[in-house]
Amino acid sequence: MKKEDCIFCKIANGEIPSTTIYEDEDFLCFLDVNPASRGHALIVPKEHYADLYEMDQELLKKAIVLAQKIGKEMKEKLGCDGLNLVQNNDEASGQTVFHFHLHLIPRYNNDGVGISWKPGSLTQEDKEELKALLTPGRPLE
Ligand code: 5GP
Ligand code: ZN
């Protein structure tokens, strides 16, 4: 299934060029056109799934294994000091392309790449409420 006007479907179809560093029957991995760091790449399924919620479970498993494989290559060949995996869902999270993708962002000591948040605090009330809401199989009250 391909989706009209989806930029990553067009890349997967070869309608739009990309700098592809890996391809198999299920996935492409290509360099991000506006990289956060040297080597920033995206793992993208060839089929269209909008986000994590829609993504096929077997492909999801393969995607994380592929991230391990490419991440190891990055560590060895780019000499990066760290690696962030980032995966955005919905606009509120910063998702801009609504075709599932996994960012591989190589990190270098003191690179200033801003993947961070201000640590908050978790009250006892938060703990109880969130545990009750989010524990799988527990009824929502
Ligand atoms: P999101 O914010 O949806 O998680 O990330 C989308 C990413 O796709 C962005 O980092 C953006 O730079 C990248 N991107 C958007 N359009 C293109 C494109 O046409 N080619 C490539 N290689 N990357 C793209
Ligand atoms: Zn698509």
Side-chain angles (χ1 to χ4, degrees), residues 1-3 6-10 46-49 98-99:
M1 183 189 74
K2 303 291 173 207
K3 199 154 183 247
C6 170
I7 195 124
F8 287 175
C9 283
K10 287 184 178 165
K46 291 181 172 177
E47 292 294 323
H48 182 89
Y49 300 95
F98 294 86
H99 177 131

Side-chain angles (χ1 to χ4, degrees), residues 43-132:
I43 291 178
V44 176
K46 291 181 172 177
E47 292 294 323
H48 182 89
Y49 300 95
D51 53 29
L52 179 71
Y53 312 116
E54 277 193 8
M55 182 68 168
D56 175 84
Q57 288 193 355
E58 290 308 311
L59 284 178
L60 261 182
K61 293 176 198 167
K62 289 184 183 176
I64 199 74
V65 173
L66 183 54
Q68 182 191 46
K69 178 185 171 77
I70 297 172
K72 283 180 177 174
E73 296 278 336
M74 288 174 160
K75 188 174 166 77
E76 187 188 324
K77 295 184 179 156
L78 300 176
C80 54
D81 304 301
L83 175 71
N84 289 118
L85 298 184
V86 174
Q87 200 277 311
N88 298 324
N89 299 284
D90 290 322
E91 269 181 46
S93 75
Q95 187 177 9
T96 58
V97 176
F98 294 86
H99 177 131
F100 177 94
H101 53 281
L102 190 52
H103 294 261
L104 278 79
I105 305 180
R107 299 297 303 274
Y108 304 89
N109 290 333
N110 305 312
D111 62 14
V113 173
I115 301 170
S116 62
W117 56 86
K118 187 168 145 268
S121 55
L122 191 64
T123 65
Q124 187 58 32
E125 196 183 2
D126 290 332
K127 288 180 191 172
E128 286 165 16
E129 183 194 355
L130 292 167
K131 184 175 168 63

Side-chain angles (χ1 to χ4, degrees), residues 132-133 138-141:
L133 275 171
R138 279 174 75 135
L140 303 180
E141 285 160 25

